[in-house]
Amino acid sequence: MALFLLGRRAGGAVRMLRSAQRLSSTATGVIAAKEPFQVNLVPGKTYFWCRCGRSKRQPFCDSSHKGTDFTPVKFKAEEGTTEVFLCGCKQTDTQPYCDGTHATHLVQNAT
């Protein structure tokens, strides 16, 4: 297991433990970036995270998923949340947040 620092939420660090060994190609999109997107969110605002990896407005949806089996992930920024790391590789198990999967050799060596 590996420990990854995801971002600041409600004044503290969010940590997730995850096995960085598996990727599910059926449930994940195209690798849009090999690192997370550090973004500032407005608490209480609703966002749509791109799950397919095709959006030109990464990490947010621009409807490029049309015609695929993918749909964006709707989420609301939590109160006290401002700076977060949203997944760029689209392989995370904690959608839309980064869980460190981008650091695995499987993602870093992907073409």
Side-chain angles (χ1 to χ4, degrees):
M1 299 294 269
L3 179 66
F4 298 100
L5 180 62
L6 300 183
R8 283 178 237 145
R9 293 170 55 185
V14 174
R15 293 182 193 138
M16 296 229 127
L17 290 177
R18 149 184 221 295
S19 170
Q21 308 265 320
R22 82 188 148 87
L23 295 178
S24 170
S25 60
T26 58
T28 58
V30 175
I31 295 172
K34 294 183 179 180
E35 57 191 26
F37 293 95
Q38 183 176 358
V39 296
N40 289 308
L41 303 177
V42 177
K45 182 177 177 180
T46 299
Y47 294 90
F48 291 87
W49 175 75
C50 170
R51 185 185 313 205
C52 73
R54 298 176 180 198
S55 175
K56 301 284 189 255
R57 292 183 42 234
Q58 290 293 335
F60 302 107
C61 179
D62 69 358
S63 297
S64 292
H65 63 275
K66 299 292 184 192
T68 72
D69 291 335
F70 290 99
T71 57
V73 173
K74 180 180 179 180
F75 71 102
K76 185 182 268 190
E78 297 173 17
E79 292 300 323
T81 302
T82 54
E83 183 181 72
V84 297
F85 290 87
L86 298 181
C87 178
C89 72
K90 310 305 175 186
Q91 312 302 306
T92 183
D93 283 336
T94 57
Q95 296 178 354
Y97 302 102
C98 175
D99 68 0
T101 301
H102 66 276
T104 66
H105 72 280
L106 295 173
V107 171
Q108 291 300 311
N109 295 330
T111 55

